Amino acid sequence: MCSQPECQRRRRSDYHRKKLATDPEYFQVVRDSQKQWWAEHPGYQKQHRQQNPKLVESNRQRQRLRDRSVGLNFLSGTT
């Protein structure tokens, strides 16, 4: 087993993803934890966007590309 930080990060990520997919109780605990965090930090998203305008613009551009792609797929009948 690799002990490098990147290997450990990947191993934890793989475990977490698999556990979420196979253990409904684990999934619910994670979901409840996320909901609690967002409830405790209601202004986080707005503040993050205000502090990172380049990310906001980048997200907008990527969303426009996705929207265009979906529109083209819809028009061609390959949704």
Side-chain angles (χ1 to χ4, degrees):
M1 226 177 242
C2 177
S3 62
Q4 296 296 315
E6 180 58 35
C7 295
Q8 291 177 349
R9 193 175 306 116
R10 176 164 288 164
R11 197 165 45 251
R12 278 193 306 268
S13 177
D14 290 346
Y15 169 83
H16 180 67
R17 196 176 304 108
K18 183 178 179 183
K19 190 78 169 165
L20 283 172
T22 59
D23 186 343
E25 186 175 341
Y26 182 79
F27 179 87
Q28 191 60 48
V29 168
V30 169
R31 185 72 179 120
D32 291 345
S33 175
Q34 291 169 341
K35 283 184 177 184
Q36 180 183 350
W37 190 92
W38 282 104
E40 292 171 358
H41 302 86
Y44 170 79
Q45 206 164 20
K46 185 174 185 175
Q47 180 183 8
H48 180 73
R49 288 180 179 143
Q50 288 172 345
Q51 292 175 350
N52 298 281
K54 289 181 181 180
L55 288 176
V56 172
E57 185 55 36
S58 171
N59 287 340
R60 271 197 194 112
Q61 290 174 0
R62 290 196 331 256
Q63 184 62 54
R64 285 184 190 124
L65 286 173
R66 287 191 299 269
D67 290 346
R68 250 186 260 142
S69 176
V70 168
L72 292 174
N73 288 337
F74 179 75
L75 291 174
S76 68
T78 59
T79 50

